[in-house]
Amino acid sequence: MSAGSAASAAPAPAGRTRPDTPPLVPGGAPLLGHAWNLVRDPLGFLAALRDHGDLVRIRLGPRTAYAVCAPQLAGALLKSPDYIVGGPLWDTLEVLLGKGVATSNGPLHRRQRRMMQPAFRPERIADYARVMAEEAQATAGRWRDGETVDVSAEMFRTAVRVVSRSLLEVDSIGEKADRISDSLHTVFEGLYRRMVLSVGPLYRVPTPANRRFERALADLHALVDEIVAERRRCGDGTEEDLLAVLLGARDESGQPLTDQEIHDHVVSLVVAGAENVASTLAWTFHLLTEHPEHERRLVEEVNQVTRGRPVAFADLTELRHTRNVVTEAMRIRPAAWIFTRRSVVETTLGGYRIPADADIVYSVYAMQRDPRSFERHLEFDPDRWNPERAADVPEFAMMPFSVGNRKCPGDHFSLAELTLILATVAPKWRLSPVEWTDTRTKVGITLHPRRLVLRADRR
Ligand code: HEM
C-alpha cells in the first residue's frame, strides 16, 4: 500500500458520504477554467482554496489539477512514492536545468542525490561559511554612508557568488560569478513568463525580450562549460567541493559522468542556490525595516556575541534571535512558494481518488499563512520560533525546504548563509525605505519584493 493511501486516514470531508473525487472549486471560466484566477492573483487564489476543502479540484484550461490545502495531506503527498516531480513548473524549468537533480526522477534522481551528498555534509558547511562570511563582508563594505542601495540586486549577486565560490572553486570564479549573476537574472524573468503563459511558438519569435532570454540562457550554459573545462585543466582544487565530487563520480559500471550530466548538475545547483537565498534575504531586510524592535534586538544580539569582530560559523548557534528572524521571514515571505507533482499511478490522498497522470499543486505560501496552523498568522513574530512555542506548530505546516525525497539538500547551507549575511550586514547598516521603494510582492519563480531599494546609513 502506498503512502498516498496512508493519507486516507486524514479526517473525512463534511457530508454524509465521502465523495470519490475532491470538490470542484466554483467560479471557473468556460474555457480557461481557473487559469485566469491563477494568473491574475495567484497568491490570493491559492490561499482561498482552503475554504473549499483540504483537497480540491481546479481546472487549468483543458486539464484538471488537484490542490492540496492542509499540512497533513501536503506531508503525505511529498513522502509518497506515487508522485514524481512534474507538471507545468517542472516542464518549464527543464528548459534551464536540463536533466539535473531538480528535474530528474526515479533511479536517476536517487543516484544524483547520493552522488552530491558529500558536498553538503555538515562538516563541509563550516568551510563554506568562510566564503559566506567573506562575501557578506565584501557586500557590507561596498556601500557608502547615506547612499541608496538596490538591496535585491546586491543580495542576488552575493548569493550567486557564495554558491559559485563554495561549490565550483576555480581561479576565475570571482569574475565568472558576476557574469552568471547577470545572465541568471534575465533567465528567471523569462522563465516565469513561459511557465504561466505557455504559448510555445510565440517565444521563438525574435522579439527583443525573447532574444535577451535566449542570449542569457546561452551565456549561462557557456559559462558553466568554461568553469568545468578550467577545473579539468587545472586539477582538483578544493578536495570535496561539488565539482570535485562530480568529476570523481563513477556509476555502477565504473563510468564517469558525461559532460552534459555534470553541466546539468552544476546549473541546477547554482539556480536553486541563488534565487531562493537572494529573495529570502530581500524579504528579511524589508521585514526588519517594518519591525525596528526586532532589528534592534538582532543588532544587540550580534554585537554581544561577536564584540565587534566579524561574524563566524561558530557564532551561529548563539545567534538565536537572528535565526528566529530568518525562520519567521521564511514563513511569512517564503521565496519558494508553489510546487507541483504528477501522480504516476492511480492512488488516494485524504480519502479521495487521484487518477494517474494528474497534476497536484500545493502552495507553501498559503500553507504557512494558514490561521488554522499559526496564531496571528499574518503577524511577523520571530519569537514564535522559541522552542516552547514552536512545539505548537502542526507537523508539515512549516516546510520552506520541503520534506521527503526532494527535500532541499541546501537547507543547512542556506540557513548558515542567511544568518551569516544578516548578522554581518544589519549591525553595520541601518536600512530604511526611500520614496521609490516598492515592496509589493513580485510573483515569479520565487516571490520577491518588486524594487527593494533602501537608504543605507552607517551605524
Ligand atoms: C532560502 C533558501 C532555499 C530555499 C527556501 C529552498 C527551497 C527548496 C525547496 C522547497 C525544494 C524542494 C522542491 C520540491 O519539493 O519540489 C528545494 C530543492 C532543491 N534545492 Fe533548495 N532552497 C534553498 C536554497 C538552496 C541552496 C543554497 C541550494 C544549493 C546550494 C539548493 C539546492 C536545491 C536542489 C539541488 C534542489 C532539488 C532537490 C531534488 O529535487 O532532489 N537550495 N529547495
Side-chain angles (χ1 to χ4, degrees):
M1 182 169 281
S2 69
S5 312
S8 59
R16 263 177 301 148
T17 50
R18 175 177 283 190
D20 191 28
T21 47
L24 180 68
V25 172
L31 280 173
L32 290 172
H34 301 94
W36 177 239
N37 311 49
L38 198 56
V39 170
R40 208 190 43 190
D41 176 19
L43 300 178
F45 174 67
L46 290 168
L49 293 180
R50 69 170 86 97
D51 297 341
H52 303 283
D54 288 350
L55 179 68
V56 296
R57 268 182 308 140
I58 54 177
R59 284 193 306 105
L60 301 177
R63 270 184 87 86
T64 295
Y66 296 75
V68 173
C69 309
Q72 278 304 322
L73 295 193
L77 168 78
L78 295 171
K79 290 178 154 204
S80 166
D82 297 344
Y83 307 92
I84 56 171
V85 299
L89 172 66
W90 299 107
D91 296 345
T92 313
L93 279 178
E94 245 186 63
V95 171
L96 173 61
L97 304 178
K99 285 277 173 227
V101 64
T103 47
S104 63
N105 276 301
L108 175 63
H109 174 253
R110 271 197 298 283
R111 194 168 72 104
Q112 290 175 332
R113 280 295 290 238
R114 243 199 330 268
M115 213 149 42
M116 67 171 48
Q117 216 51 45
F120 289 101
R121 283 203 194 108
E123 61 272 22
R124 298 288 306 143
I125 308 294
D127 292 336
Y128 301 145
R130 273 194 288 278
V131 172
M132 294 167 186
E134 267 174 43
E135 289 297 335
Q137 283 157 31
T139 300
R142 220 176 13 246
W143 302 347
R144 288 192 311 277
D145 199 13
E147 82 168 324
T148 301
V149 175
D150 183 338
V151 174
S152 305
E154 285 287 282
M155 291 306 127
F156 189 69
R157 179 170 185 264
T158 308
V160 171
R161 291 184 62 87
V162 166
V163 74
S164 312
R165 285 190 55 205
S166 307
L167 301 179
L168 314 169
E169 189 63 58
V170 289
D171 284 345
S172 64
I173 197 67
E175 169 257 332
K176 289 211 168 69
D178 288 342
R179 285 166 57 204
I180 291 178
S181 168
D182 291 344
S183 310
L184 209 49
H185 189 75
T186 311
V187 167
F188 270 121
E189 294 266 312
L191 270 185
Y192 184 65
R193 220 166 296 132
R194 283 157 177 77
M195 194 172 107
V196 282
L197 284 176
S198 44
V199 282
L202 283 188
Y203 293 119
R204 287 196 287 277
V205 178
T207 61
N210 287 347
R211 278 212 302 269
R212 253 196 324 275
F213 175 81
E214 293 299 339
R215 216 172 21 240
L217 193 60
D219 278 353
L220 182 69
H221 287 304
L223 273 163
V224 169
D225 284 340
E226 284 172 31
I227 292 171
V228 177
E230 183 176 345
R231 184 66 170 267
R232 280 200 198 280
R233 263 197 322 273
C234 303
D236 274 353
T238 314
E239 264 169 42
E240 263 193 319
D241 74 354
L242 182 87
L243 256 191
V245 169
L246 296 177
L247 291 172
R250 296 288 176 271
D251 67 14
E252 302 72 31
S253 55
Q255 291 302 308
L257 295 181
T258 64
D259 281 356
Q260 187 62 50
E261 281 176 304
I262 293 177
H263 177 107
D264 289 352
H265 273 309
V266 170
V267 176
S268 289
L269 262 294
V270 173
V271 167
E275 176 81 355
N276 281 321
V277 169
S279 300
T280 305
L281 283 168
W283 282 125
T284 311
F285 282 113
H286 161 60
L287 286 162
L288 287 180
T289 66
E290 287 194 325
H291 300 275
E293 163 65 7
H294 288 295
E295 185 197 21
R296 185 186 58 72
R297 282 175 58 192
L298 185 153
V299 170
E300 273 174 18
E301 178 181 76
V302 177
N303 288 338
Q304 214 166 51
V305 169
T306 62
R307 308 223 166 267
R309 63 169 167 72
V311 188
F313 183 66
D315 299 322
L316 296 187
T317 46
E318 287 184 68
L319 297 176
R320 289 188 199 92
H321 188 64
T322 311
R323 192 72 166 246
N324 285 352
V325 164
V326 166
T327 308
E328 179 67 346
M330 283 199 291
R331 179 189 76 83
I332 199 161
R333 294 292 191 181
W337 61 284
I338 186 168
F339 290 99
T340 56
R341 293 287 188 268
R342 190 163 279 162
S343 54
V344 281
V345 289
E346 181 177 319
T347 181
T348 60
L349 190 60
Y352 289 118
R353 188 183 78 88
I354 305 281
D357 197 34
D359 288 331
I360 330 284
V361 10
Y362 81 95
S363 163
V364 177
Y365 179 91
M367 209 78 82
Q368 293 180 176
R369 287 172 162 238
D370 189 334
R372 297 172 299 182
S373 301
F374 296 96
E375 221 180 24
R376 297 192 314 279
H377 59 292
L378 299 180
E379 204 174 288
F380 177 69
D381 176 12
D383 293 327
R384 71 169 85 239
W385 299 107
N386 285 335
E388 65 283 2
R389 287 179 61 197
D392 295 339
V393 175
E395 198 183 12
F396 307 122
M398 171 74 182
M399 41 180 185
F401 295 108
S402 193
V403 294
N405 67 339
R406 315 302 297 220
K407 179 175 188 284
C408 178
D411 53 352
H412 295 296
F413 183 105
S414 305
L415 286 173
E417 181 178 3
L418 294 165
T419 316
L420 266 169
I421 293 176
L422 191 59
T424 301
V425 174
K428 286 202 174 62
W429 297 102
R430 178 175 297 109
L431 299 173
S432 48
V434 293
E435 207 181 315
W436 54 91
T437 308
D438 183 353
T439 55
R440 281 174 299 165
T441 304
K442 175 141 191 219
V443 178
I445 298 222
T446 64
L447 298 180
H448 50 97
R450 275 193 199 188
R451 189 165 159 72
L452 192 69
V453 284
L454 298 174
R455 183 188 154 102
D457 289 296
R458 199 180 292 281
R459 286 186 200 275

